[in-house]
Amino acid sequence: MNDTRYDILFEPVQIGPVTAPNRFYAVPHATGHGWNQPHGAIALRAMKAEGGWGTVAVQITEIAADTDMANHPMERIWDDSDVPRHEAQVAMIKHHGSLAAIELGHGGMRCRNITTGVPVIGPSALPVLRPEVPLQARAMTLSDIAAFRASHKAAATRAKRAGYDILYVYAAHDISLLSNFLSIRTNQRADEYGGSFENRLRLLREVLQDTLEVADGRCAVALRFSVAEPEAKYGLRHDGEGRDVVTALADIPDLWDVNISGWSQDSASARFTEEGYQLPYTDFVKSVTDKPVVGVGRFTSPDTMVALVKQKRLDLIGAARPSIADPFLPNKIKNGNIDQIRECIGCNVCVSMDSYGLAIRCTQNPTISEEWRSQWHPEAPAISTGSQSHLIIGAGPAGLECALQLMRAGHKVTIADQRSQVGGRVTLESTLPGLQSWSRVKDYRLHQLSAASEVNLYLESAMTVDLVEEFDADTVVVATGASWRKDGVGSTNFDPIDFGSTAVITPDDVMTGQFNNAPTATPTATIVATNIVVYDDDHFYMGSAIAEALAMKAHNVTYITPLPTIATWTDNTLDQPAIVKRLQKLGVTLLPNTHLGADGSFTNALTGQAIEFSDDTVIALVGARTSNDTLYRELQTRGTMKQLHHAGDCLVPGIIQASVYSGHATARMILSSDSPAKRREQVSLGF
Ligand code: ADP
Ligand code: SF4
């Protein structure tokens, strides 16, 4: 009997004059493939359409030269010369039967306009909404407002000509001129566009009407609106002006695409939020409007999706990250392959790439951004060159991903790991507070591998050169990971330190239970033997996660880092403010700008003051890692392997995403299905 549980997700949804073929809606999100990497952008979105997303939306598309968001590679539709690129994109999305949507936007006070040199504009003369950038916005005159409306209309006209089905009006994330006009924080005007709620709403209402006029019953008009700013001191609230906006404009747009603001709230990571975290703010919208509503919240569970529709909380299931992690999520549900969904782990590595202005990467989906560059498909197995047997040593993310791709190509795979559990670092790291969902990296792969008869998995099997040689595999892949260094070498210090009699531990000791987590004395305000200094010279999540784990065990924890901010790189994954709050709540003392000296002492770089700790203080070093590549090097020296590779952290220590990618790339190399010569986006000089 067919499984009808999820049929409701495959019902068509009328959106104004167009019909979405199902309820799966890939919302606009930054891809890093902006206007200047069109092949990559088009292929990435086409893959989602192929995977069954009934609507595929294009990220923020700058409507004119005065909304220059560079260095973030947004889309552009400044003038007619941009249209052919969009036509090609629309054609690829529609080829798979999906609707194509475009998020037309003006960044307002979030622009820099550095490449165009045009003054940044906003409702009021204030610094731009990037405190670290020395720029101010010019207050728009009434004729500037008229010009903005005209340029939005012109962009909408071009988008319609390019063939888009849904034209967005964008008032979300604090990255929008229209949001700037709505908010009392940024709109300090005294004319008809400022002051009262109706006045601040005026421009959004006008632009919506302008866009509906352009759409003229051929395209739908969507309004992307952040109904709440949960972290803002004052601003829109879902039970205040946010709700008032939805009430005032209820049936004007053909579709409400709702979320929360700023971006760090909208794209909050799994470390601090659960699936569906936006619903408490957004689910009132359906009770206010008769128009369809799409919302997001890292939805990966089909049962949750069905419940949301049945409970009339959403009409369309919006997804950015779940559609990156698994572009084929809808088709897997449709075909009853729910167990094959590659669930987003909420790590925000994808988001971090946008901060860098680079094509996105994903921990779960190594093929993202490789659709055109490398012609990698997330589901189609690599073409096999015959049936061989492969031995993979190490069942971490690199080993498992490599094994999965070889298995899919029909090869015989044996995986050996010295531990009693599969998953390597993700199994260990998912025991840290907030990182439980990271075990999905292992779960997804292990599930596929366990179901395959040509795969053998041996745990508690420490491999040696002799054992490997005895195995006589066609290919040996060494994916034995890396270990945290205990000698003080880290991102800012390349010289090993002698810690003398001071007890030094690493994240490995904490995660494997080598370090006894229970303190022996009651922590007090003064330094006692249970004091732990976590020295973070790694700057991603691990230092703060270790500090959190130890503080939760009632240790008296001091977090020290040589950089000026806490867990600096987590700013790119939008976690940093939440990490600081969490550590403060746990009573962790935070000492940025503090260096570890060659003699193992700590000094504040700004004041020159030495930081003293009692002799029995334990130092948890979170610095660099060393590849566990002894076995690989010994095998290389022996020289008896038919084919020998190393992958993941064994090749070079990196983030989990890099391990998965490395495992994937190694498999493709073994299968000879990957050309080392990647395609490149080339600029045409046009003369
Ligand atoms: P990566 O991120 O590169 O996949 P991990 O550290 O997550 O690296 O995984 C490496 C795995 O390799 C661990 O599970 C570890 O137990 C295993 N391993 C390391 N050395 C050996 C060995 N000699 N024999 C078998 N397994 C090993
Ligand atoms: Fe999800 Fe992480 Fe992939 Fe982003 S990088 S889509 S958060 S798994």
Side-chain angles (χ1 to χ4, degrees):
M1 206 173 82
N2 281 344
D3 188 349
T4 56
R5 266 180 305 169
Y6 305 116
D7 284 0
I8 196 169
L9 300 175
F10 296 92
E11 291 173 347
V13 179
Q14 195 66 34
I15 306 175
V18 299
T19 308
N22 61 37
R23 296 183 188 273
F24 292 93
Y25 195 107
V27 295
H29 69 78
T31 64
H33 301 266
W35 60 274
N36 55 357
Q37 295 189 45
H39 292 101
I42 293 169
L44 186 153
R45 296 189 179 109
M47 193 63 79
K48 294 191 190 191
E50 186 185 334
W53 296 88
T55 306
V56 177
V58 174
Q59 71 189 85
I60 294 178
T61 305
E62 300 168 357
I63 59 168
D66 65 1
T67 172
D68 158 24
M69 305 286 289
N71 60 319
H72 292 291
M74 302 293 179
E75 296 286 342
R76 285 184 173 165
I77 195 157
W78 290 5
D79 57 38
D80 284 355
S81 67
D82 291 302
V83 174
R85 203 173 62 244
H86 287 281
E87 284 173 338
Q89 179 151 258
V90 168
M92 290 291 281
I93 293 170
K94 288 192 176 184
H95 173 71
H96 297 285
S98 309
L99 293 182
I102 181 168
E103 185 175 62
L104 300 170
H106 190 298
M109 293 169 68
R110 279 291 280 273
C111 295
R112 273 84 69 190
N113 291 4
I114 289 169
T115 55
T116 55
V118 181
V120 174
I121 51 172
S124 305
L126 289 168
V128 296
L129 296 173
R130 296 283 299 256
E132 75 283 13
V133 181
L135 274 178
Q136 290 213 177
R138 186 173 67 76
M140 291 166 76
T141 63
L142 290 180
S143 59
D144 290 327
I145 292 175
F148 159 66
R149 285 182 59 187
S151 73
H152 198 285
K153 262 182 115 164
T157 305
R158 287 190 286 272
K160 181 181 173 186
R161 184 146 48 87
Y164 286 105
D165 303 292
I166 301 175
L167 310 178
Y168 265 80
V169 170
Y170 180 60
H173 302 125
D174 239 3
I175 316 177
S176 157
L177 185 64
L178 295 168
S179 309
N180 301 158
F181 269 81
L182 269 176
S183 171
I184 52 170
R185 184 163 57 103
T186 43
N187 185 343
Q188 301 175 349
R189 299 175 75 93
D191 62 4
E192 65 266 43
Y193 286 98
S196 69
F197 173 72
E198 229 356 278
N199 279 357
R200 282 181 281 120
L201 185 65
R202 187 179 310 280
L203 188 56
L204 175 56
R205 192 192 284 280
E206 287 174 345
V207 170
L208 264 176
Q209 273 151 358
D210 291 342
T211 313
L212 281 159
E213 202 179 293
V214 172
D216 195 25
R218 212 215 72 199
C219 311
V221 174
L223 174 55
R224 197 171 203 202
F225 177 58
S226 299
V227 298
E229 299 169 290
E231 291 288 300
K233 276 199 205 116
Y234 56 96
L236 293 177
R237 290 203 48 88
H238 62 299
D239 51 3
E241 283 199 345
R243 188 184 184 102
D244 296 342
V245 170
V246 183
T247 308
L249 305 176
D251 290 334
I252 298 179
D254 297 309
L255 171 72
W256 282 90
D257 178 341
V258 289
N259 56 33
I260 57 177
S261 183
W263 192 30
S264 57
Q265 299 293 308
D266 187 26
S267 286
S269 76
R271 185 167 172 187
F272 298 102
T273 56
E274 301 289 334
E275 180 179 16
Y277 59 96
Q278 300 207 10
L279 288 167
Y281 299 99
T282 56
D283 69 354
F284 78 88
V285 177
K286 269 220 45 85
S287 67
V288 178
T289 175
D290 290 330
K291 297 301 172 94
V293 178
V294 57
V296 290
R298 265 193 353 264
F299 299 120
T300 55
S301 152
D303 292 309
T304 303
M305 296 173 192
V306 168
L308 290 172
V309 176
K310 285 192 172 160
Q311 293 162 6
K312 300 199 183 314
R313 299 172 87 185
L314 293 175
D315 298 292
L316 295 138
I317 306 301
R321 287 169 291 178
S323 72
I324 295 168
D326 197 340
F328 278 66
L329 184 148
N331 279 356
K332 288 179 183 175
I333 298 174
K334 191 175 189 176
N335 299 330
N337 298 325
I338 288 162
D339 60 341
Q340 289 175 25
I341 294 174
R342 209 168 32 243
E343 286 186 280
C344 166
I345 69 166
C347 63
N348 277 2
V349 164
C350 50
V351 171
S352 73
M353 294 299 122
D354 178 69
S355 313
Y356 274 33
L358 297 172
I360 50 172
R361 294 289 171 197
C362 172
T363 302
Q364 277 285 56
N365 177 9
T367 68
I368 200 85
S369 295
E370 298 290 345
E371 299 87 351
W372 178 81
R373 192 179 91 99
S374 304
Q375 308 243 274
W376 288 0
H377 191 286
E379 300 305 318
I383 297 154
S384 168
T385 51
S387 182
Q388 298 173 334
S389 81
H390 309 278
L391 173 64
I392 295 179
I393 305 155
L400 290 177
E401 174 65 18
C402 186
L404 179 63
Q405 297 310 320
L406 294 171
M407 176 275 272
R408 282 169 146 196
H411 290 214
K412 191 170 178 330
V413 184
T414 300
I415 312 165
D417 197 295
Q418 64 190 10
R419 293 198 188 128
S420 57
Q421 281 183 305
V422 187
R425 65 183 291 189
V426 291
T427 299
L428 290 176
E429 293 183 22
S430 62
T431 61
L432 294 171
L435 306 186
Q436 295 85 335
S437 63
W438 294 18
S439 65
R440 291 174 176 181
V441 173
K442 169 213 46 167
D443 296 339
Y444 162 73
R445 291 168 177 84
L446 182 60
H447 182 75
Q448 317 295 314
L449 290 164
S450 305
S453 58
E454 61 279 18
V455 175
N456 289 309
L457 173 63
Y458 297 104
L459 294 176
E460 296 179 337
S461 303
M463 297 302 283
T464 59
V465 179
D466 289 338
L467 287 172
V468 175
E469 205 167 40
E470 211 175 284
F471 197 87
D472 194 30
D474 293 316
T475 314
V476 174
V477 179
V478 186
T480 43
S483 305
W484 290 91
R485 290 179 73 141
K486 238 178 192 157
D487 59 1
V489 170
S491 297
T492 64
N493 171 45
F494 295 172
D495 298 318
I497 290 171
D498 180 3
F499 287 94
S501 58
T502 305
V504 173
I505 59 170
T506 69
D508 289 327
D509 298 319
V510 177
M511 294 186 294
T512 56
Q514 301 291 315
F515 172 67
N516 181 3
N517 281 341
T520 51
T522 312
T524 67
T526 55
I527 294 164
V528 293
T530 58
N531 282 344
I532 298 181
V533 168
V534 175
Y535 184 68
D536 185 0
D537 200 13
D538 168 61
H539 313 291
F540 196 13
Y541 57 89
M542 185 55 83
S544 63
I546 289 291
E548 194 178 334
L550 293 169
M552 284 170 73
K553 301 272 185 191
H555 285 286
N556 188 14
V557 179
T558 302
Y559 170 98
I560 296 184
T561 182
L563 295 192
T565 55
I566 310 302
T568 302
W569 210 78
T570 62
D571 194 33
N572 298 311
T573 53
L574 309 177
D575 278 329
Q576 208 231 15
I579 288 174
V580 172
K581 264 196 212 156
R582 175 74 55 88
L583 294 181
Q584 283 173 333
K585 201 169 165 204
L586 287 166
V588 175
T589 304
L590 302 174
L591 298 180
N593 269 320
T594 302
H595 294 261
L596 175 60
D599 59 353
S601 65
F602 295 99
T603 312
N604 183 296
L606 301 180
T607 64
Q609 262 180 323
I611 314 290
E612 302 286 345
F613 295 99
S614 62
D615 289 346
D616 49 7
T617 296
V618 173
I619 300 179
L621 287 174
V622 186
R625 291 187 298 148
T626 306
S627 294
N628 300 329
D629 59 359
T630 311
L631 177 62
Y632 173 78
R633 283 188 282 108
E634 285 172 0
L635 288 167
Q636 218 179 15
T637 307
R638 188 76 64 98
T640 50
M641 302 298 114
K642 290 175 208 153
Q643 262 203 70
L644 177 66
H645 301 272
H646 51 167
D649 291 331
C650 173
L651 174 63
V652 57
I655 62 176
I656 300 168
Q657 173 273 328
S659 281
V660 174
Y661 185 94
S662 170
H664 189 97
T666 303
R668 286 190 183 260
M669 195 163 56
I670 291 167
L671 295 164
S672 312
S673 72
D674 198 24
S675 157
K678 305 289 183 186
R679 287 164 154 187
R680 287 192 297 146
E681 305 264 3
Q682 295 282 20
V683 176
S684 163
L685 293 179
F687 56 78

